[in-house]
Amino acid sequence: MKDFIELKDFTADQLAGLMERAIADKQLYREGKLSPTLARKCLAMIFEKPSLRTRVSFESAMVHLGGHGLYLTQADIGLGTREAVQDVARVLGRLCDGIMARTFSHDMVRQLGEHSPAPVINALTDYSHPCQAMADLMTAQEHFGELEGRSLAFIGDGNNVARSLAVACAKFGMQFVLASPAQFRLEQAFEDSMASYAYRWTESPADAVADADIVYTDTWVSMGQEDEKQSRRQTFAGYQINAELMSAAPAHAVVMHCLPAYRGYEITDDVFEAHAETIMEEAENRLHFQRTLLNALIGEGGIA
Ligand code: CP
Ligand code: NVA
């Protein structure tokens, strides 16, 4: 597999293998023993949306491996406006050794993958955020020691992060529960695709967290939805992760957040701080997972 666009494109064994290597590579990094396997390689990093973690983790990962990350905003390249997506893909795929893209349209990343001779990585679209979900489950694997049979409750908006986590949980033998207002559950076609897995939707956050090992949330207002901020904040008001909701969860449950967090909205300051160690480990694991991913895609020519 040349690209990393959707988790469903990979087998459970492929994803588990990547995660195992990422955990081992994290240790090598800490010991200062990583090899410069991507020396003289360049990753084009396309951003149509803002980013802290994704940009910095990919750019740092390329430096750790002896290569370079080239930051390209939409204002620089005009993906699909100044130049057709397939032409950008073909040119960047010749000038660089890999392309990482954060776009609004999911189809745009698919088109990049279709036309670029170099590997393409989905760094978040309106539809999904697979690198995030892998770093999150890597964090859970390190915390609990195993993933199979664990349960993740996602509280809030049925969004890109929720979708990728649902697929990741299915791949790792975990249960996934989304608690959201009815109009913000994941679309029917997606729910149908999850029918043979331990996937569940509920309107009740307390119901969702009752058996949860991981209580997860993300912003109620994703990038591109800023015009809906006020109405979303009203609709999701009952979906906050706070001390009261956490009292309905098992005592051992950890809280995760992909960040950026909007304290006082989807999560209270006290719950965030009580679980900050786990949340920051998630953020750090973006670096470790993606560095392993870059090695597999660029250094080794694909995910075995
Ligand atoms: N979680 C995440 O993708 O963060 P950024 O938007 O800052 O990259
Ligand atoms: N759902 C959020 C995730 C941010 C990392 C967004 O798309 O803005």
Side-chain angles (χ1 to χ4, degrees):
M1 184 67 70
K2 173 178 80 78
D3 304 317
F4 188 78
I5 294 178
E6 276 308 319
L7 296 178
K8 70 174 169 51
D9 298 338
F10 299 95
T11 64
D13 281 351
Q14 285 174 319
L15 295 177
L18 269 180
M19 186 186 291
E20 203 177 307
R21 285 178 58 184
I23 291 171
D25 289 347
K26 180 176 179 178
Q27 189 57 33
L28 287 181
Y29 168 71
R30 296 226 157 124
E31 293 166 6
K33 290 183 184 160
L34 278 181
S35 305
T37 42
L38 299 186
R40 294 184 298 278
K41 303 282 187 192
C42 186
L43 176 72
M45 309 195 309
I46 300 174
F47 283 92
E48 274 193 330
K49 297 173 174 175
S51 169
L52 174 69
R53 279 145 293 274
T54 305
R55 179 193 175 175
V56 176
S57 55
F58 271 107
E59 203 166 318
S60 296
M62 285 305 289
V63 170
H64 292 172
L65 298 174
H68 179 72
L70 184 62
Y71 180 61
L72 301 169
T73 70
Q74 181 62 349
D76 298 313
I77 61 170
L79 181 65
T81 52
R82 179 173 185 264
E83 194 158 0
V85 176
Q86 61 266 43
D87 294 345
V88 173
R90 286 187 289 184
V91 171
L92 281 182
R94 284 169 179 248
L95 298 181
C96 296
D97 303 281
I99 301 173
M100 181 238 80
R102 167 169 287 193
T103 59
F104 291 94
S105 146
H106 188 68
D107 190 52
M108 201 173 257
V109 173
R110 281 237 170 265
Q111 280 185 59
L112 287 171
E114 209 173 295
H115 296 284
S116 161
V120 170
I121 298 171
N122 173 359
L124 180 149
T125 67
D126 287 349
Y127 184 76
S128 60
H129 198 2
C131 292
Q132 180 71 53
M134 287 299 291
D136 294 337
L137 293 200
M138 174 178 166
T139 311
Q141 165 74 39
E142 290 176 319
H143 182 84
F144 292 113
E146 88 298 323
L147 293 176
E148 181 133 24
R150 296 277 171 189
S151 179
L152 186 150
F154 188 103
I155 312 299
D157 186 15
N159 65 12
N160 44 7
V161 173
R163 209 177 269 106
S164 288
L165 278 170
V167 178
C169 286
K171 295 283 184 185
F172 285 89
M174 295 171 63
Q175 290 149 38
F176 178 91
V177 189
L178 169 66
S180 75
Q183 68 271 37
F184 291 102
R185 64 194 283 182
L186 289 161
E187 68 279 8
Q188 191 65 51
F190 181 82
E191 290 197 352
D192 290 348
S193 75
M194 288 283 118
S196 59
Y197 298 103
Y199 175 91
R200 188 164 74 85
W201 171 79
T202 172
E203 208 157 8
S204 158
D207 167 31
V209 303
D211 296 317
D213 298 294
I214 302 158
V215 178
Y216 198 110
T217 192
D218 180 17
T219 181
W220 296 334
V221 187
S222 284
M223 293 178 277
Q225 297 172 338
E226 290 78 7
D227 289 352
E228 300 167 31
K229 188 189 277 186
Q230 289 318 320
S231 67
R232 281 177 165 268
R233 284 183 171 173
Q234 279 173 12
T235 308
F236 286 105
Y239 290 82
Q240 183 184 66
I241 298 190
N242 51 33
E244 190 190 337
L245 184 64
M246 289 310 293
S247 70
H252 72 267
V254 292
V255 173
M256 290 194 178
H257 195 308
C258 58
L259 302 177
Y262 297 86
R263 293 155 188 258
Y265 293 98
E266 77 274 7
I267 191 165
T268 54
D269 194 53
D270 57 326
V271 172
F272 185 100
E273 288 306 328
H275 293 269
E277 195 53 43
T278 311
I279 294 169
M280 294 306 150
E281 199 68 23
E282 277 181 270
E284 181 183 330
N285 280 340
R286 295 290 305 282
L287 165 69
H288 302 300
F289 173 73
Q290 289 158 198
R291 194 176 48 222
T292 297
L293 178 67
L294 290 165
N295 250 333
L297 294 180
I298 300 178
E300 296 154 24
I303 295 171

